[in-house]
Amino acid sequence: MGEKFHRPPRLPRWILYRFLPESENTFIGGDFDEIYNRIVERQGRGAACRWYWVQLMYWIPLILFHSILWSLTMFKNYLKITLRNLRRQKGYAFINIAGLSVGIACVLLIILVVQYEFKYESHHENAGRIYRINVEHAQLERTFRSTYSPVPLAPAMYEEVPEVTHFARMAELRQIQVAHEDRKFYEENVRFVDPGILEMYTFPLVSGNKETALIDPNSVVITEEMAVKYFGKEDPLGKTLVLLNSISLKVTGVMKNHPRYTNIRPDFLVPIEKIRALAGDDFFQNWLSQQLASYVMLAEGHSAKDVEAKIQDAFNSHVRADDGRVLTLDQLRRMHLFSDTAPTGNISSLYILLAVGGLILLAACINFMNLATARSAKRAKEVGLRKVVGAGRHQLIRQFMGESMFYTAISMVFALVLARAFLPALNSLTGQAVEFGDIFQKPILAGMVGIYLLVGFLSGSYPALFLSGVQPTKILRSTSENGTQGVLFRKILVVVQFAISIILIISTLIFGRQLNFLLNKSLGFEKDGIVAIRNDRSTFRQDLQPLKSELLSDPRILGVTGSLMLPSSIGMYNTVTWEGATDNQEITIIHNRVDYDFLDTFEIELVAGRNFSPEFPGDTNAGSDASGPENSRSIIINQEAARQFGWEDPIGKRVIQVYGAERYYYNVVGVIRDFHFSSLRQSIQPLKLFLNTENNRYVSVKIRMEGLTSTLKFIEEAWMRVFPEAPFEYFFLDQVLEQRYQSEASLKRLFVYFSGLAVFIGCLGLLGLASYAAERRSKEIGIRKVLGASSPQLVMLLSKEFTRWVVVANVFAWPVAYFALRSWLRGYAYRISLNAQLGFFVLAGAVALAIALLTVAFQAVKAALSDPVKTLKYE
């Protein structure tokens, strides 16, 4: 019987084996076990344990020192081999680094775009605690959502809901004339607010005291930009601004200019009490109308879910039991992208961009993997020799992964340079103000480290795992360098790479087609040659007839009309029932106030009945008190309203407006053809038009486009004669409509560039593979030339394999693109038919194939024209 084996203590033995190199475990570990057992037999277990610990403390530093020294030596060796391969294969190294650089730069730029969108409202210190109160109102099958709420709501919630610590209301009065001495401008960003807004929001004051700046009802706080605009270099504090030609306000504070990444950007903060001079006390006691935006700030530790039910209960105590409105809370820092009521950003576009960036980066990684596996035979003997002299597989994996990380590091540096160079162009495309310094924020730096590790691993994973697993005996016996290993994998990768390019090309074409459809679709009204003049509250209630008379005396003027809203953006609505409706049957209908010439100026077709006319007293403002059937006021409705009312002959029928317990009666005198008064993302809704000749927030002038400059000068002079106190500010209606689809235009432009980059990266990969294929088959090409093959035949020989790959890529790309684009188009009520655009799918495939053939043909022609003697002389 052999001697009994005594196992050393677990902890020191684990430490020893933890620090020993794997190759030394058996020898050194075995020696330690053997000596330990001898000491146990001679001196006992205690002495043996003491010896084990002493030896461990002595050897561990030496083992660590030699391990670090060896690692540095191996690192130096790996780096030397990597640099040697880089110098030896400059062309392939350039392709790898260029592809990875472009791919990483695209991802960095996209991350900056996405990060910018997520920054909205982040500058407000309390952004996580501030909530806007939205109102939802269900009407039959539709739910109407509004960011406006009743005026008394916010202060009531502050008094009745303990979790509400602050409140602030914002009443928007757009197109307000603001004046200081002879400087007069229309302003869009005047907000009437509660004084507490300066406590809730981060609006830093560069002048004034935020605690007292809005206490006086006759005060105003302005931005630095407005201070320069109205007062130049003078100190604005104490100066006077005049609103609406009648309201004098003293400047008590100057705010810093707002950052670009905010949707709450008031230029003028006026105490809300000043509205009493305009609207009276009833404005502050009206629970039925939704007149302004209400914001509340919750106490620390409370969320919207905790408070919504309490706010709803408090609201219900102030309105009728059948009111039906539901209150919801929108967190300030999430409103831009994730609001259920009125998001100002487009999270879907950001997801699309991130997916595109990922695809482009994947295409760049595919290049690296393809070229590494294609040229694996060149390094197979190196791998075999390393294995013969004792290199383990994990060491080879580290070597090849290290090379991948080295290439990725170089690419990351070039990617940063490219991102910095193209950032201004990206800002121009997206309309953002991204700064390159944003890239050094901690989340983005962490993302860059993640990208580096991910790209390095993806690029080097397959070559490392493939080459490290090669059997040395097979390598060293073989004399061929056919590079056939991994051929199927390379084909799959090329197919994936070009499928990505084809999907992006198709998406670009379809985005462009949908954008053209949105811009060119007939809206049902004339938008070309319309000059819209802004008119503020101090002048829009005046009669336009003197202005019309002056303008229409010139043959260049084809029509003049006034309206509360332009036909391109009608959004005010109320609830109505109608003659023949069942009990409690109501719908929501959009409305606008127009004058006699509205339909004619905008060429809106009247399909039944008549237009408004001075000959009918019921059409005029005199009948505005239509609280009884005998006082019916005339209206014109659209076809969609008639359809929802169920009327085949609407003329003479009545519409009843529901306003709380009150009813207002309107007589239908005309029906107009449906026209698009909102975005084409939304379907046409019921519409009614009132006659009001003194409610002209906009004056629209239809002109001949010849001699545009002189015509505009004539309009301005006539305007200043009739309304000398009102500034002349105008815009062209068609330009405003184009701006409505800026997000689609930006997305299309981005896809043009990104699809071009994806094709570029794919072509780099094909160029490398074609170059390698020509190099590998150089002797075959020489023999074929000697036997009489022509250059075109040789080009065809080298090109047909790559052609098949691109054709297969189309087979996979087309259905993916089809289903993705079909889902995207569903976001538009009016859209192109995707089935009618299948020619674009074929075109995208043909473009990708042509580009691939041109890329491959470059190397194929070069190989076909080479001298066969040079390739065969050593055979």
Side-chain angles (χ1 to χ4, degrees):
M1 276 182 76
E3 294 182 0
K4 181 180 178 182
F5 176 77
H6 301 279
R7 180 176 294 277
R10 290 184 179 182
L11 178 59
R13 193 171 192 269
W14 178 86
I15 294 174
L16 177 66
Y17 279 80
R18 182 71 178 81
F19 284 95
L20 280 176
E22 188 177 345
S23 58
E24 302 294 334
N25 279 351
T26 303
F27 302 105
I28 298 178
D31 291 341
F32 265 69
D33 290 349
E34 183 179 347
I35 297 172
Y36 174 83
N37 274 269
R38 287 179 187 172
I39 296 175
V40 169
E41 294 293 334
R42 295 174 183 174
Q43 302 178 30
R45 185 178 292 274
C49 287
R50 286 192 297 273
W51 174 87
Y52 206 108
W53 276 106
V54 169
Q55 294 300 315
L56 187 67
M57 294 300 102
Y58 175 77
W59 283 104
I60 287 296
L62 293 177
I63 292 171
L64 284 174
F65 174 76
H66 286 289
S67 176
I68 294 171
L69 184 63
W70 178 252
S71 297
L72 291 174
T73 303
M74 291 305 298
F75 176 78
K76 179 180 177 182
N77 182 51
Y78 291 156
L79 182 61
K80 186 184 297 183
I81 293 170
T82 300
L83 292 173
R84 187 180 298 157
N85 287 326
L86 191 149
R87 288 194 301 268
R88 186 182 300 164
Q89 302 171 8
K90 295 184 182 67
Y92 297 105
F94 169 78
I95 289 173
N96 279 332
I97 292 173
L100 286 176
S101 298
V102 171
I104 295 172
C106 285
V107 172
L108 290 179
L109 289 173
I110 288 173
I111 287 176
L112 285 174
V113 169
V114 173
Q115 175 264 350
Y116 185 88
E117 290 293 304
F118 275 88
K119 277 174 62 176
Y120 268 71
E121 316 308 342
S122 61
H123 60 291
H124 294 294
E125 295 176 3
N126 298 315
R129 297 170 55 198
I130 298 174
Y131 294 83
R132 182 181 63 205
I133 304 178
N134 301 324
V135 178
E136 295 184 0
H137 195 194
Q139 291 286 337
L140 299 179
E141 73 281 0
R142 296 186 62 207
T143 298
F144 291 87
R145 296 180 173 88
S146 174
T147 60
Y148 283 8
S149 56
V151 177
L153 175 64
M157 298 305 102
Y158 174 70
E159 294 291 338
E160 300 171 23
V161 180
E163 290 82 359
V164 176
T165 62
H166 295 79
F167 75 93
R169 294 166 291 182
M170 286 192 191
E172 301 181 16
L173 295 183
R174 298 182 181 274
Q175 294 175 218
I176 289 184
Q177 181 180 318
V178 179
H180 173 68
E181 297 177 350
D182 59 342
R183 299 181 185 181
K184 299 178 182 179
F185 303 95
Y186 287 137
E187 299 295 351
E188 292 287 328
N189 294 316
V190 177
R191 300 291 184 269
F192 290 82
V193 300
D194 290 294
I197 194 169
L198 294 176
E199 295 292 333
M200 288 175 59
Y201 287 86
T202 304
F203 293 143
L205 298 189
V206 297
S207 299
N209 185 333
K210 74 175 184 179
E211 296 178 358
T212 60
L214 293 175
I215 297 299
D216 185 350
N218 296 313
S219 61
V220 61
V221 174
I222 62 177
T223 59
E224 293 174 297
E225 181 183 357
M226 293 299 108
V228 173
K229 182 176 181 179
Y230 285 91
F231 306 106
K233 297 182 179 179
E234 298 179 22
D235 182 3
L237 290 185
K239 298 288 195 307
T240 300
L241 290 173
V242 179
L243 273 62
L244 305 173
N245 287 326
S246 59
I247 301 175
S248 295
L249 302 172
K250 183 173 70 173
V251 178
T252 55
V254 178
M255 299 180 284
K256 284 186 177 180
N257 290 330
H258 306 295
R260 292 282 295 275
Y261 45 87
T262 178
N263 293 307
I264 301 175
R265 42 190 326 106
D267 288 326
F268 302 82
L269 296 178
V270 182
I272 198 169
E273 282 296 314
K274 203 63 185 175
I275 293 184
R276 291 187 190 275
L278 300 173
D281 292 338
D282 291 343
F283 177 82
F284 292 89
Q285 301 166 8
N286 187 341
W287 285 90
L288 287 175
S289 295
Q290 292 155 205
Q291 301 282 354
L292 44 67
S294 299
Y295 297 88
V296 294
M297 190 166 81
L298 305 186
E300 292 278 4
H302 292 281
S303 66
K305 290 183 179 179
D306 301 331
V307 181
E308 270 185 341
K310 293 183 179 181
I311 287 181
Q312 184 69 53
D313 291 340
F315 172 73
N316 290 342
S317 68
H318 291 277
V319 297
R320 299 196 332 260
D322 61 346
D323 183 87
R325 285 176 289 178
V326 176
L327 304 185
T328 61
L329 296 180
D330 250 349
Q331 191 181 55
L332 181 63
R333 67 182 179 189
R334 292 176 54 84
M335 285 194 307
H336 179 61
L337 293 173
F338 300 103
S339 172
D340 292 330
T341 302
T344 49
N346 191 333
I347 190 64
S348 298
S349 295
L350 299 186
Y351 290 149
I352 291 172
L353 286 179
L354 287 173
V356 168
L359 291 175
I360 292 176
L361 192 59
L362 176 62
C365 293
I366 285 173
N367 273 358
F368 192 101
M369 287 189 281
N370 264 343
L371 292 178
T373 52
R375 298 188 63 79
S376 60
K378 292 288 184 183
R379 302 192 63 182
K381 288 186 172 59
E382 174 196 338
V383 173
L385 287 172
R386 285 180 177 276
K387 283 198 166 187
V388 168
V389 298
R393 185 175 186 185
H394 68 280
Q395 292 175 313
L396 294 171
I397 290 175
R398 280 203 300 266
Q399 176 186 343
F400 291 113
M401 290 299 293
E403 290 184 12
S404 172
M405 291 295 182
F406 179 78
Y407 278 100
T408 305
I410 297 175
S411 302
M412 185 70 79
V413 173
F414 283 110
L416 287 170
V417 174
L418 289 173
R420 179 66 183 87
F422 288 100
L423 187 58
L426 182 71
N427 282 333
S428 177
L429 286 173
T430 60
Q432 295 179 336
V434 179
E435 297 179 357
F436 188 70
D438 293 341
I439 209 167
F440 299 108
Q441 295 180 5
K442 289 182 180 179
I444 298 184
L445 285 177
M448 289 174 60
V449 173
I451 290 171
Y452 170 72
L453 296 175
L454 178 65
V455 172
F457 177 77
L458 285 178
S459 301
S461 58
Y462 184 80
L465 296 173
F466 173 76
L467 289 173
S468 64
V470 176
Q471 294 297 324
T473 53
K474 293 182 180 180
I475 298 172
L476 298 176
R477 285 177 185 171
S478 175
T479 58
S480 67
E481 291 186 354
N482 52 28
T484 57
Q485 300 96 329
V487 170
L488 176 61
F489 186 70
R490 288 202 300 276
K491 290 180 179 178
I492 293 172
L493 291 181
V494 171
V495 167
V496 171
Q497 193 175 47
F498 266 86
I500 291 171
S501 299
I502 293 165
I503 290 170
L504 293 178
I505 293 173
I506 293 172
S507 300
T508 301
L509 295 172
I510 298 301
F511 287 167
R513 190 72 169 178
Q514 174 66 9
L515 179 60
N516 290 335
F517 173 80
L518 295 175
L519 293 178
N520 297 318
K521 185 182 186 303
S522 174
L523 300 178
F525 63 88
E526 182 58 57
K527 61 184 177 66
D528 297 322
I530 299 292
V531 178
I533 307 171
R534 294 184 177 91
N535 200 6
D536 76 358
R537 290 177 179 268
S538 63
T539 55
F540 72 39
R541 295 192 181 279
Q542 298 182 21
D543 187 8
L544 286 184
Q545 194 55 46
L547 178 67
K548 287 185 178 183
S549 300
E550 288 218 25
L551 291 179
L552 293 174
S553 64
D554 192 300
R556 295 172 295 182
I557 308 301
L558 303 177
V560 182
T561 187
S563 59
L564 182 62
M565 289 169 283
L566 295 170
S568 58
S569 54
I570 305 174
M572 298 179 68
Y573 66 90
N574 49 40
T575 302
V576 298
T577 185
W578 58 94
E579 185 178 324
T582 60
D583 291 342
N584 299 322
Q585 189 175 7
E586 300 175 348
I587 67 168
T588 299
I589 190 167
I590 312 297
H591 65 85
N592 192 15
R593 301 177 186 275
V594 303
D595 74 1
Y596 294 110
D597 302 305
F598 184 82
L599 299 185
D600 294 334
T601 300
F602 289 104
E603 299 182 16
I604 297 172
E605 183 180 354
L606 189 70
V607 296
R610 61 173 178 82
N611 195 358
F612 296 123
S613 170
E615 299 177 4
F616 295 89
D619 293 354
T620 65
N621 289 347
S624 58
D625 181 14
S627 57
E630 68 281 359
N631 294 323
S632 293
R633 181 180 175 186
S634 300
I635 59 170
I636 295 174
I637 63 174
N638 67 349
Q639 293 172 308
E640 179 63 20
R643 187 189 69 78
Q644 293 203 24
F645 294 152
W647 291 342
E648 293 185 5
D649 183 13
I651 306 303
K653 291 189 168 60
R654 283 187 175 146
V655 175
I656 302 98
Q657 179 178 323
V658 181
Y659 191 75
E662 299 178 346
R663 296 291 186 269
Y664 296 90
Y665 293 82
Y666 300 95
N667 187 48
V668 177
V669 298
V671 179
I672 55 175
R673 188 173 301 282
D674 288 335
F675 66 90
H676 296 277
F677 49 82
S678 60
S679 168
L680 290 172
R681 302 182 189 96
Q682 303 166 355
S683 58
I684 294 175
Q685 301 301 316
L687 171 72
K688 68 176 186 285
L689 301 178
F690 300 99
L691 176 68
N692 193 321
T693 58
E694 296 181 355
N695 210 336
N696 307 303
R697 184 174 295 176
Y698 294 96
V699 178
S700 302
V701 183
K702 185 178 180 182
I703 64 173
R704 301 184 190 275
M705 297 304 291
E706 300 84 7
L708 180 61
T709 303
S710 61
T711 303
L712 291 174
K713 183 66 174 175
F714 167 74
I715 297 173
E716 180 179 9
E717 291 172 351
W719 177 271
M720 297 310 296
R721 284 194 297 270
V722 178
F723 302 124
E725 297 300 321
F728 178 73
E729 293 186 7
Y730 70 91
F731 56 89
F732 288 93
L733 183 59
D734 57 345
Q735 294 176 353
V736 172
L737 290 170
E738 287 182 12
Q739 292 173 1
R740 174 175 285 173
Y741 304 109
Q742 281 300 304
S743 61
E744 286 82 0
S746 296
L747 195 62
K748 177 204 168 186
R749 291 193 295 268
L750 287 173
F751 263 75
V752 168
Y753 290 105
F754 286 141
S755 60
L757 290 174
V759 171
F760 169 74
I761 292 172
C763 289
L764 279 179
L766 273 188
L767 183 65
L769 289 176
S771 175
Y772 174 72
E775 177 186 337
R776 181 170 56 85
R777 302 177 70 175
S778 59
K779 293 182 176 61
E780 175 191 347
I781 292 169
I783 294 171
R784 287 180 180 274
K785 289 192 73 171
V786 169
L787 295 177
S790 65
S791 294
Q793 288 174 322
L794 293 173
V795 171
M796 183 63 67
L797 174 70
L798 293 172
S799 301
K800 65 180 182 181
E801 181 180 7
F802 297 101
T803 302
R804 287 199 298 267
W805 296 354
V806 179
V807 171
V808 173
N810 277 286
V811 174
F812 287 99
W814 288 353
V816 173
Y818 181 87
F819 288 110
L821 289 167
R822 186 176 68 172
S823 176
W824 177 73
L825 286 170
R826 284 175 179 166
Y828 296 87
Y830 301 93
R831 54 186 178 263
I832 59 175
S833 169
L834 192 56
N835 291 335
Q837 315 302 321
L838 296 182
F840 283 133
F841 288 67
V842 178
L843 176 61
V847 168
L849 181 60
I851 294 173
L853 284 175
L854 287 173
T855 304
V856 174
F858 173 77
Q859 282 295 336
V861 170
K862 182 179 176 181
L865 296 177
S866 63
D867 187 354
V869 175
K870 293 181 179 180
T871 58
L872 299 176
K873 64 182 178 180
Y874 294 113
E875 289 296 311

